[in-house]
């Protein structure tokens, strides 16, 4: 492939990614936008030199950030004049709507696949300064109603808070709700930053109380937007942008959170969540990464359907590869003359999955006239079954099961189990798994023994 063909392929990839079909704005958003009053906390006065001085915006364009920083009062006065002209006339310089996309590999997957790269857009430095002023003025309105479960792009919030919340939820569910279950769904949106519907965004901002002047100017920055792709120092032709945010825009994270806030407010109106006293916990978010909670599988399945339905109204789509369930791999195979069983076990997020390679042996014993069946299993180092990336191999596993029946009254089962899963697994999780998993396993064994005669009869 020539350099020109490579550049054209990058252009094709990003032009398709950033030109999703426009989704009509949800009528309920338009009603809320028309009924909302602008927030008094958001200033609509002309831009002041203090606001211009307070901003730092690194980037690459014809005017560098260093030039602006070194210009002193003269540059501040000049920028203030330009910004106030834009403020009054609502007309932007053409360079402010243009961006240069640089593709960066995500450090996973094939480097030759365009989808494994993230595009960062280099924007005009003065336009980023102006956008920062608009965002700073709009923040009192858009953050005043921020979804409390949202930790992404928010000060004093992090994934640590969410991990702690999930841990407490599991513990308290087991401790106080022994007759109920806890179900969780982990959702990721496909190319969420690139597919957001612009018309819905402007209506949501207006409904949150952002002044119409700020909404109009933000809209101008995204209308008639164009980008090119830069690879190896060469730029592609310009192509239009009709959806999503430019990854490099200083306002993009907060504007994106407004979309997710609206999505979750609609979802939470229609799902019950997990009750604790008078409080119901339905969800946790970090940007677009979402956890939904429920007390039953059927409710969780309905919640996922509601989430997909509401997301599509905003131009968002759950990632099918991450949205679906993953099957556990279990099979017996001949590894270089030695039969062994491979078993991959799915561990709960955020722990890594484990896999086992073990051999199994059955022995039939006669002890003082009693017939006893014994099944022995232990880990085996099989050179032809290499370890998989991202999965921890369990190398110390032993299990013994002994079964005895008198042929009339039933079957006695004795089991000895040892498993060292490795890695750093919290003690509370091991205790919870033992307390909840072992009784369920024994009950399944009891049911299997009870129904074995019927099973044999049906096979004939």
């Amino acid at each position: 492939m020539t350099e020109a063909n490579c550049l054209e392929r990058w252009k094709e990839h990003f032009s398709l990614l950033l030109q999703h079909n426009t989704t009509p704005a949800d009528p309920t958003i338009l009603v809320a936008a028309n009924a909302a009053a602008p927030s008094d906390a958001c200033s609509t006065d002309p831009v002041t030199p203090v606001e211009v001085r307070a901003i730092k915006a690194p980037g690459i364009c014809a005017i560098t950030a260093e030039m602006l920083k070194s210009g002193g009062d003269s540059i501040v006065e000049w920028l203030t004049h330009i910004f106030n002209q834009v403020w009054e006339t609502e007309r932007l310089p053409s360079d402010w709507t243009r961006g240069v996309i640089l593709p960066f590999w995500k450090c996973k997957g094939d480097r030759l696949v365009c989808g494994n790269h993230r595009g960062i857009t280099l924007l005009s430095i003065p336009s980023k300064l102006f956008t920062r002023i608009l965002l700073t003025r709009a923040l009192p309105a858009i953050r005043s109603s921020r979804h409390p479960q949202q930790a992404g792009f928010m000060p004093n919030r992090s994934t640590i808070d969410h991990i702690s919340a999930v841990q407490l939820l599991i513990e308290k569910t087991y401790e106080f709700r022994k007759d109920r279950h806890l179900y969780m769904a982990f959702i990721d949106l496909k190319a969420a930053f690139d597919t957001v519907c612009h018309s819905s965004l402007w209506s949501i901002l207006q409904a949150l109380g952002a002044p119409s002047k700020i909404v109009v100017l933000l809209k101008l920055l995204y209308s008639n937007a164009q980008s090119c792709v830069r690879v190896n120092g060469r730029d592609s032709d310009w192509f239009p942008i009709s959806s999503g945010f430019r990854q490099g825009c200083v306002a993009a994270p907060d504007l994106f959170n407004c979309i997710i806030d609206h999505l979750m407010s609609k979802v939470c109106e229609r799902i019950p969540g997990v009750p604790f006293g008078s409080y119901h916990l339905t969800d946790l978010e970090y940007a677009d990464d979402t956890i939904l909670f429920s007390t039953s599988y059927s409710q969780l399945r309905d919640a996922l359907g509601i989430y997909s339905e509401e997301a599509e109204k905003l131009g968002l789509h759950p990632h099918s590869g991450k949205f679906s369930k993953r099957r556990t791999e279990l099979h017996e195979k001949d590894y270089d003359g030695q039969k062994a069983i491979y078993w991959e076990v799915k561990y709960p997020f955020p722990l890594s999955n484990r896999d086992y390679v073990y051999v199994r042996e059955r022995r039939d014993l006669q002890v003082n006239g009693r017939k006893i069946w014994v099944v022995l299993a232990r880990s085996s180092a099989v050179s032809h079954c290499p370890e998989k990336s991202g999965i921890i191999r369990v190398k110390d596993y032993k299990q013994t099961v002994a079964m005895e029946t008198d042929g009339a009254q039933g079957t006695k089962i004795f089991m000895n189990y040892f498993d060292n899963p490795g890695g750093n697994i919290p003690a509370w999780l091991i205790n919870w798994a033992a307390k909840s998993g072992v009784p369920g396993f024994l009950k399944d064994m009891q049911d299997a023994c009870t129904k074995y005669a019927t099973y044999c009869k049906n096979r004939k």
Side-chain angles (χ1 to χ4, degrees):
M1 178 180 288
T2 65
E3 189 171 301
N5 291 337
C6 179
L7 197 60
E8 185 64 26
R9 176 66 189 95
W10 279 113
K11 174 193 171 184
E12 178 187 19
H13 168 72
F14 282 107
S15 61
L16 292 174
L17 185 65
L18 299 170
Q19 293 185 59
H20 285 262
N21 295 329
T22 303
T23 304
D26 187 348
T28 60
I29 304 178
L30 298 176
V31 171
N34 294 330
S39 173
D40 295 333
C42 301
S43 173
T44 56
D45 296 331
V47 178
T48 65
V50 175
E51 292 176 289
V52 176
R53 286 182 185 274
I55 296 171
K56 297 179 181 179
I60 299 176
C61 68
I63 302 174
T64 65
E66 287 72 20
M67 292 169 57
L68 298 181
K69 293 176 182 179
S70 302
D73 292 340
S74 298
I75 289 293
V76 171
E77 183 179 347
W78 173 73
L79 284 174
T80 303
H81 175 71
I82 295 293
F83 290 170
N84 280 324
Q85 268 196 329
V86 173
W87 185 272
E88 296 297 333
T89 62
E90 297 182 357
R91 297 179 60 186
L92 305 178
S94 59
D95 285 349
W96 288 18
T97 59
R98 286 189 163 193
V100 179
I101 299 176
L102 301 181
F104 289 90
W105 185 47
K106 298 178 182 179
C107 296
K108 58 182 180 180
D110 191 342
R111 284 177 179 266
L112 299 179
V113 178
C114 294
N116 293 331
H117 294 69
R118 177 175 288 106
I120 303 299
T121 306
L122 303 179
L123 303 170
S124 163
I125 294 298
S127 76
K128 293 179 73 173
L129 291 170
F130 186 68
T131 304
R132 171 63 71 183
I133 293 173
L134 297 180
L135 175 64
T136 301
R137 293 187 171 196
L139 280 180
I142 64 179
R143 283 193 178 176
S144 62
S145 56
R146 177 69 75 236
H147 198 55
Q149 288 86 354
Q150 176 62 264
F153 312 122
M154 288 295 293
N156 303 318
R157 301 186 191 179
S158 72
T159 53
I160 296 176
D161 302 315
H162 284 355
I163 292 173
S164 176
V166 172
Q167 175 180 337
L168 289 172
L169 186 60
I170 293 173
E171 291 178 348
K172 298 305 177 184
T173 299
Y174 179 77
E175 183 176 357
F176 297 109
R177 299 164 53 82
K178 297 183 183 297
D179 58 329
R180 304 292 292 274
H181 298 283
L182 174 64
Y183 292 83
M184 294 182 284
F186 296 83
I187 307 172
D188 179 59
L189 294 172
K190 183 179 180 180
F193 250 61
D194 305 316
T195 61
V196 168
C197 171
H198 287 166
S199 59
S200 296
L201 172 63
W202 313 134
S203 297
I204 289 173
L205 290 178
Q206 190 175 345
L208 290 173
S212 59
K213 169 68 75 171
I214 294 178
V215 175
V216 168
L217 291 171
L218 287 172
K219 186 176 181 180
L220 287 173
L221 286 166
Y222 275 87
S223 62
N224 301 318
Q226 292 182 314
S227 286
C228 71
V229 184
R230 179 173 296 168
V231 179
N232 297 329
R234 295 186 57 184
D235 293 347
S236 71
D237 295 331
W238 294 94
F239 55 88
I241 304 297
S242 60
S243 65
F245 298 100
R246 295 179 292 187
Q247 298 204 34
C249 173
V250 294
D254 276 283
L255 298 182
F256 181 72
N257 269 355
C258 293
I259 291 288
I260 300 299
D261 285 349
H262 177 80
L263 166 62
M264 296 314 303
S265 66
K266 291 293 185 180
V267 172
C268 293
E269 288 175 357
R270 301 171 59 185
I271 63 176
V274 178
F276 283 94
S278 59
Y279 183 77
H280 285 68
L281 180 61
T282 56
D283 60 294
L284 292 173
E285 291 87 43
Y286 190 91
D288 64 309
D289 294 323
T290 302
I291 309 176
L292 294 181
F293 300 102
S294 180
T295 57
S296 71
Y297 176 76
S298 60
Q299 287 183 355
L300 187 65
R301 182 182 55 199
D302 294 341
L304 291 174
I306 293 171
Y307 183 94
S308 297
E309 175 188 335
E310 296 294 342
E312 290 177 358
K313 295 178 182 179
L314 302 170
L316 303 173
H317 305 278
H319 198 300
S320 59
K322 299 180 182 179
F323 200 54
S324 60
K325 292 183 178 179
R326 181 179 177 184
R327 295 181 179 178
T328 298
E329 185 177 353
L330 176 64
H331 60 260
E332 186 174 13
K333 189 176 179 181
D334 192 322
Y335 295 97
D336 196 22
Q338 180 183 12
K339 283 192 174 183
I341 297 173
Y342 177 85
W343 182 28
E344 181 182 335
V345 180
K346 188 174 181 181
Y347 273 60
F349 176 86
L351 302 177
S352 300
N353 287 353
R354 267 68 172 171
D355 64 1
Y356 300 71
V357 178
Y358 62 94
V359 293
R360 186 172 55 183
E361 178 185 358
R362 173 183 161 180
R363 297 178 183 176
D364 298 345
L365 306 178
Q366 292 285 346
V367 180
N368 298 327
R370 298 156 53 197
K371 190 172 183 179
I372 301 175
W373 293 269
V374 178
V375 179
L376 306 174
R378 57 178 175 80
S379 296
S380 176
V382 178
S383 59
H384 293 274
C385 184
E387 298 183 20
K388 297 181 179 180
S389 175
I391 300 177
I392 297 177
R393 174 66 52 86
V394 177
K395 300 179 180 179
D396 194 1
Y397 160 72
K398 300 175 184 177
Q399 182 174 352
T400 304
V401 178
M403 295 173 284
E404 178 186 6
T405 179
D406 59 6
Q409 296 181 353
T411 302
K412 295 179 180 180
I413 299 178
F414 302 88
M415 183 179 71
N416 179 55
Y417 183 96
F418 176 82
D419 183 346
N420 181 8
N424 297 318
I425 302 180
W428 65 265
L429 182 57
I430 295 177
N431 294 334
W432 172 77
K435 292 178 181 178
S436 60
V438 173
F441 172 78
L442 295 177
K443 186 177 185 304
D444 290 341
M445 290 286 287
Q446 183 180 16
D447 291 342
C449 293
T450 303
K451 299 174 182 177
Y452 182 71
T454 304
Y455 168 77
C456 294
K457 182 179 179 180
N458 292 335
R459 288 189 63 187
K460 294 179 179 180

